Amino acid sequence: EAKRENEKAKNKTEAIKALKDRWQSENERYTKLYNTNNLNLDNYNLVISSDNKTPEEIADIIYNEYKKFMQNA
């Protein structure tokens, strides 16, 4: 489990900067480890916009897409 004690921001500006820094770090790590751009959505089988969905709705989408995937495997 990752410990993120260093990500405690004192204000909104610091929080935004920390999120941007972490996002950049993750992008660099994925490029180095997998030689891929994790921002390219073509790399994924399923992308879910969770903006207006409940956790239950998201779980249902994942479950139903998994069933379809397994039927075609």
Side-chain angles (χ1 to χ4, degrees), residues 15 20 34 47-48 54-55 59 69:
K20 287 180 180 179
Y34 307 113
V47 177
I48 302 171
T54 65
F69 175 79

Side-chain angles (χ1 to χ4, degrees), residues 55-72:
E56 292 79 13
E57 290 171 322
I58 295 168
D60 286 342
I61 292 168
I62 294 168
Y63 178 73
N64 290 325
E65 291 299 320
Y66 175 75
K67 286 194 314 187
K68 286 185 212 174
F69 175 79
M70 292 307 291
Q71 287 175 348
N72 295 324

Side-chain angles (χ1 to χ4, degrees), residues 22-39:
R22 182 164 175 214
W23 187 250
Q24 179 64 35
S25 173
E26 289 293 304
N27 290 337
E28 290 170 5
R29 184 171 66 90
Y30 270 76
T31 299
K32 182 179 177 183
L33 290 173
Y34 307 113
N35 195 29
T36 188
N37 178 352
N38 67 330
L39 299 177

Side-chain angles (χ1 to χ4, degrees), residues 10-25:
K10 294 177 182 165
N11 56 49
K12 184 177 176 179
T13 302
E14 281 188 19
I16 291 170
K17 182 181 181 329
L19 286 171
K20 287 180 180 179
D21 290 348
R22 182 164 175 214
W23 187 250
Q24 179 64 35
S25 173

